[in-house]
Amino acid sequence: MSSSVGGGSAGGGGADIASLLEKAKELDQLKKDQDDIVVEINKIHKKVLASPEMVDKSVDAILLKLRGLYARAKELSENEISASNALIGLLDGLLQSGASTAQKKKIVGEQKKKRIKSDTDSARFSAASMRNQLDQAASLKGEQVAARVKSDDEKDEWFVVKVIHFDKETKEYEVLDEEPGDDEESTQKKYKLPMSYIIPFPKKGDPSSAPDFGQGRQVLAVYPGTTALYRATVASHRKRKSDDYILEFDDDEEDGSLPQRAVPFYRVVALPEGHRQ
């Protein structure tokens, strides 16, 4: 650090103020760069969660991109630490050199404005992201989806239901089980479920938008002839002619082996994390 930091002259103080503001600008830019990296990382995470087929199709490319982004984020964080330490040193020097009260107020005021702007921008991004998720959820009205409608400590139970309404305030779906089992008291039953209990199906008329689950991948699929979803393993790649998956359902043994069953692509979704059945 230059000897002027510890000096008491007015000229030295002015130089120190200029250095301090320059370093503050550098720190502010580092913060913006880090925010941009976080936005990119969150975009990839969001796409993977919304379209698990991305992982199957280009897992290496996705992982490499994420690794690069995290490495850049680490580098920026280390640079931020260095810049912050330099700022602390400059501030200590100014305090010792007796910088004027007006100069100190100017520095603090500028940093406060930058922090408020940064916090406001982050809040706006978070709000926009949430609005987008809520709009997507509302767009499922009238669609059939996979829903976790009953659960206990032992297992998850998933069924095909129809979305009646999505409440943006409570973030809950109202769904209708159009074909309940024989033990139901009524012919149809309604449920109110949180967003995490709903998985949209691929579009029936657009096979290209559906996940391309590879052989050996565990999925959640509608068992043929029912409206219930069970865990299954992909026995072979999706047939392009029929766009059916050939699956082996868990606990579906016949004569000591698991039969292979064809299930349409629009009735197969990614296995939810932590699924128990």
Side-chain angles (χ1 to χ4, degrees):
M1 189 173 295
S2 66
S3 59
S4 64
V5 172
S9 67
D16 292 339
I17 291 292
S19 298
L20 185 68
L21 292 177
E22 188 63 31
K23 185 59 68 175
K25 289 180 181 179
E26 179 185 338
L27 187 63
D28 188 50
Q29 185 59 49
L30 286 168
K31 170 63 177 173
K32 291 177 181 177
D33 291 343
Q34 289 182 79
D35 289 342
D36 290 341
I37 291 292
V38 170
V39 169
E40 289 301 314
I41 290 173
N42 287 338
K43 281 182 180 178
I44 294 177
H45 287 175
K46 184 177 178 181
K47 286 181 180 179
V48 170
L49 289 174
S51 306
E53 66 272 16
M54 288 181 60
V55 178
D56 293 318
K57 291 181 178 179
S58 53
V59 60
D60 291 338
I62 292 173
L63 292 178
L64 282 173
K65 187 171 183 179
L66 276 175
R67 187 185 186 284
L69 289 171
Y70 278 117
R72 177 59 177 157
K74 179 176 180 291
E75 179 186 355
L76 289 171
S77 296
E78 292 171 346
N79 292 343
E80 182 182 19
I81 293 173
S82 298
S84 297
N85 288 336
L87 269 172
I88 291 171
L90 287 169
L91 283 167
D92 288 343
L94 283 170
L95 289 170
Q96 293 172 10
S97 65
S100 69
T101 301
Q103 288 174 321
K104 293 173 184 175
K105 285 183 177 180
K106 180 181 177 182
I107 295 167
V108 173
E110 288 192 10
Q111 290 305 303
K112 185 176 181 180
K113 288 179 182 178
K114 289 177 181 178
R115 177 56 60 188
I116 290 174
K117 183 179 183 301
S118 176
D119 292 344
T120 301
D121 290 343
S122 296
R124 285 174 180 170
F125 169 74
S126 298
S129 178
M130 177 56 69
R131 282 197 300 272
N132 186 44
Q133 291 182 32
L134 295 178
D135 288 342
Q136 289 179 349
S139 70
L140 291 175
K141 182 178 179 179
E143 298 285 339
Q144 286 190 329
V145 297
R148 179 184 171 188
V149 297
K150 295 179 181 179
S151 65
D152 52 38
D153 293 337
E154 300 299 327
K155 61 183 179 179
D156 294 340
E157 296 184 357
W158 291 79
F159 298 93
V160 178
V161 298
K162 182 179 180 179
V163 176
I164 301 174
H165 176 68
F166 177 72
D167 190 326
K168 290 187 177 182
E169 295 297 325
T170 63
K171 299 180 179 60
E172 284 187 328
Y173 286 94
E174 183 177 1
V175 301
L176 177 68
D177 185 359
E178 299 176 286
E179 298 182 27
D182 296 334
D183 58 338
E184 297 287 343
E185 295 180 0
S186 60
T187 56
Q188 296 181 332
K189 192 171 183 178
K190 293 181 181 179
Y191 302 89
K192 286 190 176 181
L193 306 171
M195 294 175 68
S196 60
Y197 280 34
I198 297 294
I199 302 178
F201 283 119
K203 295 294 183 182
K204 184 176 181 178
D206 187 7
S208 64
S209 67
D212 189 12
F213 298 120
Q215 186 174 359
R217 176 73 179 269
Q218 285 199 319
V219 295
L220 196 64
V222 177
Y223 190 86
T226 76
T227 58
L229 291 92
Y230 300 96
R231 184 167 57 195
T233 302
V234 178
S236 62
H237 289 286
R238 197 170 84 204
K239 293 182 177 180
R240 293 303 176 187
K241 186 175 181 180
S242 63
D243 283 307
D244 286 349
Y245 278 107
I246 304 301
L247 305 176
E248 294 178 351
F249 285 88
D250 290 10
D251 304 322
D252 187 30
E253 290 189 14
E254 288 184 0
D255 300 325
S257 62
L258 294 176
Q260 295 185 349
R261 304 188 186 277
V263 179
F265 73 91
Y266 54 86
R267 284 294 182 258
V268 181
V269 297
L271 187 71
E273 185 177 351
H275 178 273
R276 293 179 299 173
Q277 184 174 308

